[in-house]
Amino acid sequence: MNPRQNFTIFYTDDDPEDLEFFMEAAESLGSDVEVVTHRNGQNLIDALHNPPPTPHLLFLDVNMPGLTGFDVLQELRNGEKFKNIPVIIFTTSSDDSTIERSLDLGANFFVPKSGHFPTLKKSIEYALQIDWSTFRPTAENFVYAA
């Protein structure tokens, strides 16, 4: 893993089991990774407007009541303040239309959810190793392949 210190991930999902599973996987990568979870899109937006902490990376579920992941992504990309935060869509909905809409709305990366701990851990680790300052999503590199 990158030798980053105090790397903060925000993960937003309405499923408490998914939140817990993600936290366990991310925290198993090392003590320098902090995961801050949010149960819905509005909580995420509120947290972004009221730091600290400020995330280095956002993992965002699509299927949530209220503000969906797409709604949140659109809001982040339409404003100046948060448009450069890397957003990873992290969802079980990995059909072509979901992937295409994620890319069109300005997501940086797409990771299909996995219920398999080693695969989840590997996908988070992969996302942490990307140099987001130079990474440009294309149809070829947008979707994580385990």
Side-chain angles (χ1 to χ4, degrees), residues 9-141:
I9 298 171
F10 277 15
Y11 174 41
T12 304
D13 196 314
D14 63 312
D15 184 327
E17 290 178 5
D18 285 353
L19 291 171
E20 185 65 32
F21 195 55
F22 184 95
M23 283 185 65
E24 287 175 22
E27 289 171 355
S28 73
L29 296 173
S31 60
D32 60 332
V33 177
E34 177 189 9
V35 178
V36 178
T37 60
H38 304 281
R39 302 285 295 268
N40 62 56
Q42 189 58 57
N43 286 355
L44 170 62
I45 298 293
D46 293 345
L48 288 170
H49 284 287
N50 294 291
T54 300
H56 296 91
L57 195 58
L58 293 177
F59 278 79
L60 186 59
D61 186 28
V62 170
N63 303 310
M64 296 183 291
L67 290 178
T68 67
F70 289 141
D71 296 332
V72 171
L73 179 59
Q74 195 162 18
E75 186 169 333
L76 295 176
R77 294 308 185 229
N78 285 340
E80 285 298 311
K81 190 172 183 181
F82 306 114
K83 73 177 187 178
N84 294 321
I85 297 175
V87 176
I88 297 171
I89 297 298
F90 185 66
T91 185
T92 54
S93 305
S94 57
D95 56 276
D96 289 344
S97 64
T98 302
I99 293 168
E100 188 175 312
R101 186 164 183 211
S102 300
L103 184 59
D104 289 346
L105 288 174
N108 298 82
F109 201 54
F110 188 98
V111 176
K113 277 187 185 178
S114 173
H116 184 243
F117 191 84
T119 303
L120 173 60
K121 182 178 172 180
K122 188 176 175 190
S123 68
I124 296 168
E125 188 171 36
Y126 183 88
L128 293 176
Q129 292 177 354
I130 292 173
D131 181 351
W132 294 106
S133 65
T134 60
F135 182 84
R136 299 293 172 256
T138 66
E140 290 73 37
N141 70 5

